[in-house]
Amino acid sequence: MEPPPDHINGTEPQFSSSVPGEQRRVGLVYDERMCKHSTPRGESHPENPDRIRAIWNKLSSAGIHDRCMVFDAKEVEDKYISAVHTTSHINLIKTISSQKMASKRNRVAGRYNSIYFNEGSSESAYLAAGSVLQAAEKVAKGELNSAFAIVRPPGHHAEEGEPMGFCLYNNVAIATSFLLNQKELGINKILIVDWDVHHGNGTQKMFWKDSRVLFFSVHRHEYGSFYPTGDDGSHIMIGEGPGSGYNINVPWENGHCGDADYIAVWDHILIPVAREFNPDIIIISAGFDAAIGDPLGGCRITPHGYSIMLKKLMKFSRGKIIMALEGGYNLNSLANSVAACVEMLLEDKPIAESLEEVYPFESTWRVIKAVREELSAFWPVLTDKLPEELTSRVTPQLQVAIYSSQSEDEYDDGPNTLPEDLQEDVTIPLSKLNLNEDVDDQVTSTSSKDWRSELAKIDVWYASFGSNMSESRFLCYIQGGQAEGMKRPCRGAVDKTKPKEVMWKTVPHRLFFGRESTVTWGPGGVAFLNPETNNQEKTFMCLYRITLEQFNDVLLQENVCMDTSSLFFDLDALDIIENEKSVSLEALKDGWYHYVVYLGKENDIPILTMTCTNATVEGFKSGKIPICAPAKEYADTLIRGLVQGKQLSEDEAVAYIHEAATHPL
Ligand code: Q9C
Ligand code: ZN
């Protein structure tokens, strides 16, 4: 339990609120010109101008902005941007809104991941970055105690050389490097806390080898299936060289995380490390898409939760904090959360920092333990084992995603697509939140019962060309568990019956290896089968006879999907695939193996495999996705499968894998 709430531990005399009743100086940057960036034809989009308008209206109507120092935005100068972005990226953002680019604009946007441009984009991007920089400078100089920059477009996904994920310039990274480069400010150590529900991939990369910047991000990850997909947000990404240990990722395994989960991460990771790091200033990449009711985030932080998270950070760097808006797509949740934070910046009115009756998920403790273990060599305060009586207090894990990460695509979702428990006023007290497991259990059983019994009657051959050729590895997908070389356990299928038969076959398709690393196997490529046939090629396939129900559970695990109730490959899909030869499962499109390919029949039972799409093969061919040889442990699993299946001798299997890994696509 925390000591009783006290005033900010500021030692700086002039502005800290050691004098009772004295207001802290809090800056707000807001500028209507940042509304100019919007979709080219007025298409609806979650990242729209109403976001910052809603915040401003709320701060105005609640009389909060009267208690702050309000500033208009200033455009950032190119020389500050160039510290973190390439010249060509700066040229792109500078010119994209010009008349000359009008005809190209949509096409250019299409080349990037989740990006739109219009005539107002350039100006908004320069103002957003300039606002955060200006706020940071004023706080660093002591003109303000803290500041909130209400900006858009957001920034944390933008990388050195490309816009991404609604972000054009990396506003927080630009301000961070500005502070470090202005030596007279005396800022040598900066803590960036990225609490947006998405991983701050851009910011992570920009300070990857920099020990002056401690980058901390807590985000939905789901083993790499949540946006931005891939392994960048994994907890094993700790920085490199002098920056080792100065990058901390807390990757949620599931959605629904709320105040209790975040506070547990604060208390057992972020706050102890911050105390040790002792930053000169803190910048928060303050996305509010982990807020309760957010359509993209699927988490449930309350405004009160955000204010506690903030208050705990205000005890460092004499309260010098700059908050920069990132995501946040439910206008009410967004405005209420920002208001709660600005009120917290304004005065340390006593608030209870404890949360009653609500505990973290079991998965939250698992993630916290994994992060502490990964980083304890760099941060000795993380070494101690967490007491059992602490980690045994959990909220029963929900069985099923009420709404999954796929809701990200539904940009038009109105309030009605939200589950009922999230349609309430977002300021409801925690104790009223519906965390009743029975409700969620019912959802699981009714929606999955329908199709499971039906598909349990149909047999298919699941054909593996990768690690599943090793029976002990494949059994993890059926019975759950972790075979040799695997970095994490599998969930298993609902029906844990072993395969009825196993047989081998060769097919005229190309086997190859790609990707840099995976969560299950760590660094190194994993196997793919080119969906196109090619008579020069021969790939060994191990066929397991399982039910279509089990096949669906294998699909889910191959595509690291948390949704355990939905049906992805049904009887209709089985009909279609016999004619079309392949089916792309759109609902699993964030996974690497969502393309089901039909390989004929054996004993009148269809043979199905799962691999990447033809488009992804093109990505591998062009070098956009790395071709990468398998690491030893993964290759050993394949070799073991081929040898135990009596397809090849050990030497032949080694040569076969080597050939597939080295022969150009
Ligand atoms: N399946 C921020 O919150 N979603 N960006 C794309 C594609 C993009 C979020 C979904 C989400 C970007 C700043
Ligand atoms: Zn986000």
Side-chain angles (χ1 to χ4, degrees):
M1 192 68 42
E2 290 283 333
D6 56 359
H7 288 286
I8 301 306
N9 300 341
T11 47
E12 189 181 48
Q14 68 261 53
F15 303 125
S16 67
S17 58
S18 47
V19 181
E22 190 179 315
Q23 283 278 306
R24 294 169 54 81
R25 291 163 68 98
V26 177
L28 285 183
V29 193
Y30 177 74
D31 199 311
E32 178 74 21
R33 289 176 293 164
M34 284 183 277
C35 294
K36 291 187 184 172
H37 170 63
S38 62
T39 50
R41 269 174 254 85
E43 303 92 324
S44 74
H45 193 282
E47 205 295 282
N48 62 65
D50 287 337
R51 297 178 57 236
I52 57 174
R53 290 196 187 108
I55 295 171
W56 194 243
N57 289 341
K58 172 78 192 183
L59 296 182
S60 312
S61 65
I64 297 172
H65 75 352
D66 297 331
R67 295 151 64 197
C68 300
M69 322 253 305
V70 179
F71 301 93
D72 287 338
K74 277 204 313 237
E75 295 198 2
V76 68
E77 292 179 50
D78 285 352
K79 63 177 179 195
Y80 301 129
I81 311 174
S82 64
V84 296
H85 288 292
T86 60
T87 311
S88 67
H89 181 69
I90 298 173
N91 285 337
L92 170 73
I93 303 304
K94 193 203 290 283
T95 58
I96 195 65
S97 298
S98 64
Q99 187 52 45
K100 265 204 338 257
M101 292 291 280
S103 61
K104 290 196 207 160
R105 214 174 279 141
N106 291 342
R107 211 168 344 118
V108 175
R111 289 212 293 261
Y112 299 104
N113 177 340
S114 308
I115 286 296
Y116 64 77
F117 296 124
N118 73 339
E119 320 75 51
S121 301
S122 302
E123 186 181 353
S124 296
Y126 274 84
L127 291 169
S131 303
V132 180
L133 186 147
Q134 190 194 1
E137 183 175 28
K138 288 185 191 304
V139 173
K141 285 185 171 161
E143 292 170 25
L144 298 169
N145 291 100
S146 58
F148 198 119
I150 305 159
V151 298
R152 65 179 291 276
H156 72 152
H157 295 307
E159 299 206 344
E160 183 184 31
E162 62 183 317
M164 179 178 160
F166 318 159
C167 301
L168 304 186
Y169 281 143
N170 194 317
N171 310 316
V172 163
I174 292 169
T176 300
S177 67
F178 169 82
L179 292 180
L180 291 170
N181 292 334
Q182 301 297 108
K183 294 291 175 224
E184 70 281 5
L185 295 174
I187 303 283
N188 301 311
K189 287 185 288 178
I190 302 183
L191 168 62
I192 300 178
V193 175
D194 188 330
W195 74 36
D196 186 280
V197 79
H198 302 99
H199 178 235
N201 57 290
T203 318
Q204 164 169 301
K205 286 183 195 168
M206 287 163 176
F207 303 108
W208 186 241
K209 296 182 180 174
D210 197 333
S211 61
R212 298 170 302 173
V213 178
L214 173 54
F215 177 70
F216 171 93
S217 180
V218 49
H219 43 267
R220 277 182 74 178
H221 185 59
E222 278 138 76
Y223 314 105
S225 67
F226 199 75
Y227 189 89
T229 53
D231 299 333
D232 284 353
S234 152
H235 68 290
I236 65 174
M237 305 299 272
I238 59 169
E240 214 179 296
S244 292
Y246 293 90
N247 196 91
I248 303 181
N249 284 325
V250 179
W252 296 135
E253 293 177 0
N254 44 259
H256 309 291
C257 292
D259 297 354
D261 304 284
Y262 279 82
I263 300 300
V265 166
W266 257 232
D267 288 348
H268 303 290
I269 301 172
L270 177 58
I271 298 305
V273 171
R275 199 174 289 130
E276 201 65 38
F277 181 61
N278 190 23
D280 298 321
I281 201 163
I282 298 176
I283 306 187
I284 303 181
S285 254
F288 293 92
D289 40 13
I292 184 166
D294 189 278
L296 268 62
C299 288
R300 29 173 87 186
I301 305 180
T302 65
H304 179 63
Y306 280 114
S307 67
I308 299 173
M309 288 154 62
L310 174 58
K311 178 163 175 121
K312 287 180 183 254
L313 290 168
M314 285 168 68
K315 299 193 171 162
F316 302 100
S317 59
R318 297 129 115 219
K320 287 175 185 281
I321 295 191
I322 299 100
M323 302 186 67
L325 183 65
E326 301 279 2
Y329 307 101
N330 174 315
L331 300 185
N332 288 316
S333 313
L334 175 61
N336 290 334
S337 303
V338 173
C341 288
V342 177
E343 291 205 281
M344 182 53 68
L345 291 176
L346 273 167
E347 58 188 316
D348 35 350
K349 68 176 171 201
I351 59 149
E353 281 188 16
S354 61
L355 297 164
E356 273 143 62
E357 295 169 72
V358 184
Y359 299 120
F361 293 129
E362 194 182 343
S363 61
T364 295
W365 290 119
R366 182 162 56 241
V367 172
I368 290 175
K369 286 178 190 166
V371 173
R372 286 171 61 99
E373 251 167 60
E374 195 67 41
L375 284 144
S376 59
F378 304 95
W379 304 100
V381 300
L382 303 181
T383 308
D384 288 351
K385 204 171 163 289
L386 296 177
E388 168 73 27
E389 67 265 29
L390 181 69
T391 60
S392 60
R393 281 187 240 147
V394 299
T395 290
Q397 188 78 53
L398 305 175
Q399 291 295 305
V400 63
I402 302 174
Y403 58 108
S404 68
S405 59
Q406 271 74 42
S407 66
E408 287 214 23
D409 299 329
E410 295 156 18
Y411 288 167
D412 296 310
D413 51 353
N416 294 339
T417 61
L418 289 176
E420 247 172 67
D421 68 321
L422 298 186
Q423 288 184 19
E424 296 173 53
D425 182 344
V426 297
T427 56
I428 48 167
L430 269 175
S431 53
K432 299 247 172 70
L433 284 181
N434 179 7
L435 287 173
N436 186 333
E437 58 171 333
D438 295 344
V439 175
D440 293 299
D441 279 345
Q442 275 167 19
V443 174
T444 316
S445 44
T446 47
S447 56
S448 59
K449 230 188 275 160
D450 305 334
W451 60 267
R452 286 194 176 276
S453 55
E454 197 63 34
L455 299 198
K457 297 177 203 149
I458 314 283
D459 279 355
V460 295
W461 292 104
Y462 159 67
S464 168
F465 48 84
S467 56
N468 282 330
M469 292 187 297
S470 167
E471 196 163 342
S472 59
R473 192 276 180 255
F474 179 62
L475 282 179
C476 298
Y477 274 160
I478 300 296
Q479 305 192 314
Q482 191 167 8
E484 209 176 310
M486 291 165 65
K487 302 256 180 289
R488 67 183 179 99
C490 294
R491 180 170 63 217
V494 171
D495 173 3
K496 302 205 174 340
T497 315
K498 286 191 183 176
K500 300 185 182 102
E501 263 179 276
V502 184
M503 60 175 279
W504 287 78
K505 204 178 156 66
T506 59
V507 297
H509 286 261
R510 170 66 202 274
L511 175 70
F512 67 98
F513 295 91
R515 298 179 64 192
E516 280 160 322
S517 69
T518 58
V519 184
T520 305
W521 298 99
V526 286
F528 291 95
L529 192 76
N530 190 333
E532 297 290 331
T533 54
N534 175 347
N535 284 320
Q536 321 304 323
E537 304 285 350
K538 176 169 141 181
T539 294
F540 288 91
M541 303 286 270
C542 180
L543 278 51
Y544 297 97
R545 197 172 135 198
I546 57 176
T547 71
L548 193 51
E549 181 202 358
Q550 289 175 315
F551 181 77
N552 271 277
D553 287 338
V554 172
L555 257 173
L556 281 178
Q557 294 172 88
E558 276 282 295
N559 290 288
V560 271
C561 177
M562 286 305 296
D563 182 344
T564 55
S565 74
S566 306
L567 163 62
F568 293 98
F569 193 90
D570 59 8
L571 290 169
D572 289 340
L574 197 58
D575 273 345
I576 294 166
I577 206 166
E578 289 193 20
N579 295 314
E580 310 281 331
K581 307 302 174 208
S582 59
V583 168
S584 178
L585 302 175
E586 287 308 301
L588 292 173
K589 70 176 185 309
D590 286 336
W592 285 90
Y593 293 97
H594 71 268
Y595 199 59
V596 181
V597 178
Y598 175 77
L599 299 169
K601 283 190 170 172
E602 199 63 53
N603 302 335
D604 216 33
I605 296 171
I607 307 169
L608 306 176
T609 192
M610 41 192 96
T611 185
C612 63
T613 62
N614 292 305
T616 303
V617 173
E618 291 311 311
F620 281 114
K621 281 186 182 162
S622 70
K624 231 185 141 196
I625 313 167
I627 294 283
C628 181
K632 182 160 189 320
E633 286 186 316
Y634 181 75
D636 284 348
T637 307
L638 273 63
I639 293 162
R640 194 176 333 123
L642 289 157
V643 173
Q644 285 175 353
K646 301 194 176 18
Q647 297 304 295
L648 296 171
S649 70
E650 173 106 23
D651 289 348
E652 287 167 337
V654 171
Y656 168 77
I657 299 301
H658 180 76
E659 164 72 11
T662 51
H663 187 56
L665 245 188

